[in-house]
Amino acid sequence: MAIRFCGVLALLTVFLSGLNASRPAVNQELSNTFNDLWRLDVNRMKPGIDYTISVQGRAGFVTQGSQVAQDYASLPLFSNVNENKLRTIPTISRFVKLLDNYERSTGVTEQVSTEELLEISLFLDAVLQTNVMKRAHRYLVSKGQSSSDLRQFKSQLQSIWFRLYHRQRNTGLDSSGFEHVFVGETKSGTEIVGFHNWIQFYLQEKNRHLDYKGYKARNHDLPDQDDHVLNLQFSWHNVVKPVGSAFIGTTPEFEMAVFTIVFLMNTERITTVLVNIDQCQMELVVVRHGLSLGTAYPRLLSSNSRHVSQHSH
């Protein structure tokens, strides 16, 4: 669930913090907007009630391309999830239907059936009916980044998230933003790319295609059972992801809304914004692939308002 170069970036972050280098300033406007979305995300799953996670041990260093990683978590990450709730939330039930529509390996051309196109359309319809995406839409319209016409906004979301493109050269259309971020892909059979969604993580773990290896965090910032973003390590179909990250418990519409806003409010190929959402401070990273989304993920910096107490000292 995290990025290429993530291990390098994590080491660089630690090195820079050792030099007392100042982080970029918190983007207060986006933090306020995302906290509005957070409050509106009424279908978010609640830790300890709708799901229980067991973070267990800190994962070790693993190089990209490894097929073996020491396991610091003998149990699954998710000990239970309220599947009845997953089935009854329209956006999540329609989201789950999309997860088996993709070829896992990059370089393999995606074949999209009429039925799959309908599933995408129904999913976007459900997302657009949520207060989360309505609030995101209003914000984007106010910034001149989206049309107020709902059909045009739906078409814009479809282009950003579902338009197929070449991720690997000399192949057919083999990838999309949705597939990369929410489903996950493998590259050359030796590397996991994308895969930043907790529902897919849970379902793959339940079906024994995925093995959680432990969390990734700095010494002073250990994760809790109720953290809404986790940095973690896992193997999927016997390929290891050295460092991954994902929101936990959130709805697909919340994640799509947040990353769509970051995508449309910036034009750089790689955008990183620092935001505070609920009690967490995180970087949101968005990488463009032309007019579509290449990847997007959160990187947890501190949780349970520890960043607030650190600054107050």
Side-chain angles (χ1 to χ4, degrees), residues 38 44-47 51 53 198 224-230 246-250 254-255 277-280 282 298 300 303-304:
W38 182 261
R44 184 172 64 247
M45 306 283 273
K46 296 177 181 60
Y51 69 88
I53 61 171
W198 75 272
D224 291 328
Q225 320 299 320
D226 60 350
D227 280 358
H228 289 295
V229 178
L230 281 181
F247 284 105
I248 307 291
T250 47
F254 174 82
E255 295 176 42
I277 303 177
D278 189 46
Q279 298 179 341
C280 294
M282 67 191 77
L300 182 67
S303 58
N304 295 316

Side-chain angles (χ1 to χ4, degrees), residues 46 65 88 92 168 233 263 284:
K46 296 177 181 60
T88 53
I92 295 179
Q168 209 159 298
Q233 186 178 98
F263 178 89
L284 299 175

Side-chain angles (χ1 to χ4, degrees), residues 103-263:
E103 292 286 346
R104 189 166 69 248
S105 180
T106 59
V108 179
T109 304
E110 292 292 343
Q111 307 292 338
V112 185
S113 68
T114 309
E115 183 186 0
E116 289 170 354
L117 285 173
L118 179 60
E119 287 176 355
I120 290 169
S121 182
L122 290 171
F123 168 68
L124 287 173
D125 286 342
V127 164
L128 288 165
Q129 287 171 17
T130 64
N131 287 330
V132 170
M133 194 55 87
K134 286 176 181 174
R135 173 71 178 90
H137 186 205
R138 285 199 306 276
Y139 178 80
L140 289 166
V141 170
S142 76
K143 295 293 183 180
Q145 297 300 321
S146 295
S147 165
S148 58
D149 182 283
L150 208 55
R151 284 169 303 181
Q152 287 190 41
F153 184 52
K154 179 182 177 181
S155 176
Q156 187 179 30
L157 289 176
Q158 180 137 4
S159 177
I160 291 169
W161 288 95
F162 290 99
R163 192 172 67 85
L164 293 174
Y165 52 69
H166 305 268
R167 189 170 291 276
Q168 209 159 298
R169 287 180 185 172
N170 308 321
T171 64
L173 302 173
D174 65 338
S175 187
S176 68
F178 181 88
E179 178 186 4
H180 187 85
V181 173
F182 288 106
V183 186
E185 302 176 284
T186 56
K187 187 176 170 185
S188 309
T190 60
E191 194 178 333
I192 298 168
V193 290
F195 202 140
H196 301 285
N197 180 258
W198 75 272
I199 297 170
Q200 169 73 336
F201 191 101
Y202 162 67
L203 292 172
Q204 291 295 302
E205 186 175 62
K206 178 188 170 188
N207 291 325
R208 305 191 173 218
H209 299 314
L210 184 151
D211 183 24
Y212 170 63
K213 301 294 187 184
Y215 68 85
K216 299 292 287 185
R218 290 171 297 189
N219 288 331
H220 63 278
D221 203 34
L222 307 181
D224 291 328
Q225 320 299 320
D226 60 350
D227 280 358
H228 289 295
V229 178
L230 281 181
N231 302 332
L232 33 76
Q233 186 178 98
F234 63 98
S235 65
W236 184 41
H237 292 282
N238 301 314
V239 181
V240 176
K241 181 96 179 180
V243 187
S245 60
F247 284 105
I248 307 291
T250 47
T251 60
E253 59 265 29
F254 174 82
E255 295 176 42
M256 284 185 82
V258 164
F259 292 128
T260 298
I261 287 172
V262 176
F263 178 89

